[in-house]
Amino acid sequence: MRCLSKSRVVVAFLDRCLQVFTGFLVLVLLCTVTAGIVYRAFNHPLSWTDEISGFLMVWLACLGWMIATRHGSHIRIRLVQDALPSSAWRSLEIGSQIAVAVIGVVVAWQSIHLIQVNSDIEAVSLPVSAAWLYVPLLPAGMLTTFQALADMCKSRPASAEVDGATSW
Amino acid sequence: MVGLMSKIFGGWIVAIMTGMPLYISMALAALVFVWINGMPASILVQKMAGSMNSFPIVAAPLFILMGNILGAAKITDRIVTFASALIGWIRGGYAHASILTSIIFAGMVGSAVADAAGSGAIEIRAMRKAGYRPETAASITAAAATIGPIIPPSLPMVIYGVTADVSVGKLFMGGLIPGILMGVALMLMVGVVARREGMARIAFAGFRVLGRTFLDCFFAVMTPVVILGGMFSGFFTPTEAAAIACLYALFLGFVVYRTLEWKHLGPILINTAETTGVVMVLVMAAGAFGWCISASRLPVVLTPMLLSTISSPIVFLLIVNVFLLIVGCFMEALAAMLILIPILAPAAASYGIDPVQFGVIVVLNLIIGTVTPPVGVVLFVVTRIAEISFEKMARAILPWLIPLMAVLMGVTLWPPLTTWLPQFLGRAP
C-alpha cells in the first residue's frame, strides 16, 4: 500500500516536471520567433530562428502529446461506443488500447532507428545533430504504450460524446 | 495500391466509430499500408516529425497561446458590454450583441470552441434573463461561434494552409469577407425571428455610455488590427503575427487591463502545451497517413475520374459542399480536414479553382459541421453551458444553419468573395 502511494507521488512529480518543461518550451518558442522579428527589424536577421522553431515545434508537439495522453484528452468520438452495453464497451476499449499500445511501440522503436541514422548529420544553421528532431518521439511512444496498458484496466467513464475536441 | 487504400480508408472510418483516439486510427491505417506494401515503418515516424518541422505550423501553438492569454485576461465582459451598447437597442438586441461579440472575438481567437466557451456563458445568461427561449439563445450563440475560425486569425486555416501548401496569409484574408457576411446573415435571421418570438431589446444608453464602453475595450478590439495590419503591410509573416499577438495579449492583460497575474502564466503555458499536443499529434498522424494516400496514387487516379464525370468546377464545388457537410455531421472537423485535403485539394486545382477559395470553402463546410448533430463539438459545448438537452439543441439549431449555408453558397458561386481581398492587398506573405 505504501509502495503504491509512493509510486503515485513519483508519477505526480514526473507529470509536474513534464508540464513545467513543456510550458517553458512554449515560452522559448515565443521568444525565438520574437527574436527573429526584432533582429530583422534592426537589419541583423538571424539565420537560426526558423530552424530552431522547427525543432522546438517537434519537441512541443511530442511533449504536449504526452501531457494529453496523461490527461486522457486526445480526441475520440465515443458516440457509438457509449451506446453499447458494458461488455461490448469493454471489448472495444481493450481493442482500442491495444491499438494505442502498438502505435506507441512502433513510434518508440522506429525513433531509436531514426536517432541512430541521423546522429552524424548536422542541422543546417545549428551546431546540433539532426537526430534531436526524433529524440522526443521516443518518450512520447513509450508513454503512449505504458498509458494504454494502464488504461486497459480503467472502468467506464461518464459519457463524453467527443473527448478532447473541446480543447481546440 | 488504390484498391488497398480504399479498403484501409473504410477500416479507418470503422476504427474512428469504435471510439479509438483519432490520431491512433490514422497512424494505424498508415502502419497497415506500409506493412502490406513492405515499406519500412520508420518512414511513418519520419513523416510525423517532418510534418511538425516547418515554420508556418509554429503559428498554431502561438495562436492557441494568444487565445488562452486573452481568455485568462477576462476581456470578454468588456466586449459584450460594448456590443450591447452599440446594437442592443435593435429588436432582438441581446442576440445581435451576441453575434457582434462573436465577430469581434473571432478577430482574437481562432477557434469556434474557444469562442463558444469564452463568450457563450455571458451571452446565453443575458439572453435568458431577457426572456429569450433557452434553445434560441443557445442556437444563436452556437451559430455565431462558427464565425471564429473564418475571420482571422484562424487555427483551422493555419493547418489547412500548411497541409495544402497554400499561403496562410492569403487564407486569412480570404476568410475576412465571408466571416463578416456570416455575422450579417445571422443578424438578418435574428431580425426575422425577433419579430416572431417578440425578442426584447436593450434601451439605448446614450452616446456617452457607448463611447465609454468603446474606450473600455478599445485595446482589445485593436488585436485583429495588430495581427492583420502587420501581415497586410508585409512587415511580418502569419507565424510572426501570432508571436506579436501573444505579446500584445500579454500587454493587455498585464499593463492595460491588469487582469492578469504572474500566477496565471503557468497554467496558461501548460494549457497551451496540452492543446497543442491534442491538435498537433493529429497533424503528425495525418502527415503520415497523407503520405500513404499520396503514395497509393489515390488522388492521381481519382482526379481524372472526377474530371471525366464532372466537367463544371461549380458542380464539383457543390458536390464537395454536400460531401463535406455530410462528413462534418459525423466526423471531427480537424481530422476530416487533414485526411480529405490530400484528396480534394489536387482535384480542385485540376479544375482551376483558386486554392484560397477552396481552402475557405473546406474550412467553412467543416466548421458548419461543428454545429450539426450528431457529432457537433460546438453543440456539445453550448448544450452544457445552456443546460439544455442535446435533442432540443439539435432541433433548435436547424433554422440557424440557413444563414450559414447561404454564405457558403455565396462563397461557392462567387469566387471574388474570397479571392478579391487577397488579390487587392496582394502583398500577403
Side-chain angles (χ1 to χ4, degrees):
Chain A
M1 203 65 178
R2 187 179 286 176
C3 184
L4 195 71
S5 70
K6 258 190 183 173
S7 66
R8 274 196 189 135
V9 171
V10 172
V11 169
F13 174 73
L14 291 175
D15 274 344
R16 194 71 198 146
C17 289
L18 175 67
Q19 289 176 352
V20 170
F21 182 63
T22 315
F24 176 69
L25 276 189
V26 176
L27 211 56
V28 174
L29 186 66
L30 175 62
C31 293
T32 308
V33 178
T34 309
I37 307 166
V38 172
Y39 276 82
R40 197 183 57 223
F42 287 107
N43 249 342
H44 289 287
L46 300 171
S47 60
W48 46 266
T49 48
D50 281 20
E51 190 169 29
I52 205 167
S53 299
F55 271 65
L56 285 169
M57 193 60 217
V58 179
W59 275 79
L60 178 58
C62 289
L63 299 183
W65 162 11
M66 289 166 75
I67 296 175
T69 301
R70 287 291 299 139
H71 291 174
S73 50
H74 285 299
I75 302 176
R76 303 175 66 168
I77 300 170
R78 296 209 316 218
L79 217 62
V80 176
Q81 191 186 10
D82 283 347
L84 296 173
S86 281
S87 57
W89 187 94
R90 162 92 14 229
S91 308
L92 272 187
E93 187 61 20
I94 290 173
S96 287
Q97 295 303 343
I98 289 171
V100 175
V102 168
I103 293 298
V105 168
V106 170
V107 169
W109 186 252
Q110 296 302 330
S111 67
I112 294 171
H113 170 67
L114 287 170
I115 291 165
Q116 286 172 339
V117 169
N118 288 280
S119 58
D120 56 351
I121 300 170
E122 201 169 284
V124 180
S125 59
L126 298 167
V128 294
S129 163
W132 282 101
L133 212 55
Y134 303 103
V135 171
L137 287 152
L138 177 59
M142 283 168 63
L143 182 94
T144 302
T145 305
F146 292 139
Q147 190 66 49
L149 295 174
D151 285 351
M152 270 184 209
C153 319
K154 261 190 175 173
S155 54
R156 188 174 184 160
S159 180
E161 299 87 348
V162 185
D163 284 357
T166 48
S167 61
W168 80 281
Chain B
M1 270 199 195
V2 173
L4 171 69
M5 185 41 90
S6 308
K7 282 175 195 156
I8 290 175
F9 230 89
W12 172 66
I13 289 166
V14 171
I16 290 173
M17 288 301 147
T18 61
M20 193 180 285
L22 283 178
Y23 81 99
I24 293 293
S25 66
M26 279 194 257
L28 198 64
L31 185 65
V32 170
F33 179 82
V34 296
W35 182 62
I36 291 176
N37 287 296
M39 296 170 175
S42 59
I43 201 154
L44 296 182
V45 181
Q46 191 190 28
K47 293 293 166 198
M48 285 173 82
S51 58
M52 283 299 101
N53 186 17
S54 91
F55 192 63
I57 198 86
V58 174
L62 295 180
F63 277 129
I64 293 170
L65 176 62
M66 179 194 69
N68 284 342
I69 296 169
L70 289 173
K74 295 191 173 68
I75 55 162
T76 322
D77 302 24
R78 295 168 199 272
I79 297 168
V80 172
T81 312
F82 166 64
S84 303
L86 184 66
I87 53 167
W89 48 272
I90 306 170
R91 185 185 288 277
Y94 288 98
H96 287 298
S98 168
I99 294 164
L100 182 61
T101 302
S102 287
I103 294 174
I104 298 171
F105 212 61
M108 297 181 213
V109 296
S111 131
V113 176
D115 192 330
S119 56
I122 306 166
E123 291 165 1
I124 291 171
R125 198 168 49 237
M127 283 189 266
R128 288 180 77 160
K129 230 182 206 174
Y132 290 28
R133 289 193 311 137
E135 54 269 34
T136 306
S139 302
I140 292 166
T141 305
T146 58
I147 301 170
I150 307 300
I151 288 181
S154 160
L155 191 54
M157 282 193 190
V158 170
I159 291 164
Y160 183 92
V162 172
T163 318
D165 203 15
V166 181
S167 159
V168 175
K170 284 184 178 167
L171 279 170
F172 276 6
M173 285 185 254
L176 193 59
I177 294 174
I180 293 169
L181 283 179
M182 284 164 80
V184 172
L186 283 170
M187 283 181 175
L188 289 174
M189 182 77 182
V190 167
V192 175
V193 176
R195 275 181 197 284
R196 210 179 53 209
E197 293 193 8
M199 286 177 174
R201 64 180 93 195
I202 310 163
F204 184 60
F207 286 104
R208 186 171 289 178
V209 173
L210 180 61
R212 203 186 60 228
T213 55
F214 176 66
L215 286 178
D216 209 28
C217 69
F218 174 77
F219 285 101
V221 174
M222 283 297 111
T223 311
V225 178
V226 171
I227 298 169
L228 299 179
M231 275 167 45
F232 289 1
S233 64
F235 192 72
F236 37 69
T237 64
T239 306
E240 292 170 343
I244 295 294
C246 286
L247 296 178
Y248 185 72
L250 285 171
F251 170 72
L252 288 183
F254 279 116
V255 181
V256 180
Y257 299 123
R258 295 172 188 232
T259 42
L260 268 186
E261 291 172 35
W262 286 107
K263 66 177 180 188
H264 293 142
L265 216 50
I268 287 172
L269 292 172
I270 292 166
N271 190 278
T272 302
E274 183 172 353
T275 308
T276 301
V278 170
V279 176
M280 289 305 142
V281 74
L282 263 176
V283 178
M284 287 165 88
F289 193 25
W291 178 82
C292 294
I293 291 170
S294 302
S296 74
R297 299 182 76 249
L298 186 67
V300 179
V301 174
L302 210 64
T303 304
M305 265 170 60
L306 276 171
L307 282 168
S308 62
T309 43
I310 309 160
S311 55
S312 158
I314 296 286
V315 176
F316 169 75
L317 283 178
L318 290 172
I319 291 172
V320 166
N321 277 341
V322 173
F323 174 66
L324 289 179
L325 286 171
I326 294 169
V327 167
C329 287
F330 298 97
M331 203 182 284
E332 203 277 326
L334 180 60
M337 193 166 76
L338 287 167
I339 286 306
L340 294 172
I341 289 169
I343 299 169
L344 294 178
S350 63
Y351 279 103
I353 296 164
D354 189 285
V356 173
Q357 185 200 7
F358 191 69
V360 175
I361 287 174
V362 170
V363 173
L364 187 50
N365 267 299
L366 294 173
I367 294 304
I368 290 174
T370 63
V371 288
T372 52
V375 182
V377 177
V378 172
L379 279 193
F380 296 139
V381 172
V382 174
T383 303
R384 274 175 219 154
I385 294 172
E387 293 170 343
I388 57 171
S389 74
F390 185 75
E391 288 72 22
K392 243 184 193 178
M393 182 76 201
R395 265 197 306 273
I397 192 71
L398 294 177
W400 300 95
L401 295 178
I402 297 168
L404 302 180
M405 297 284 188
V407 175
L408 177 62
M409 277 299 112
V411 169
T412 305
L413 300 175
W414 203 43
L417 281 178
T418 47
T419 56
W420 175 77
L421 194 59
Q423 280 166 7
F424 177 71
L425 294 166
R427 284 177 291 172

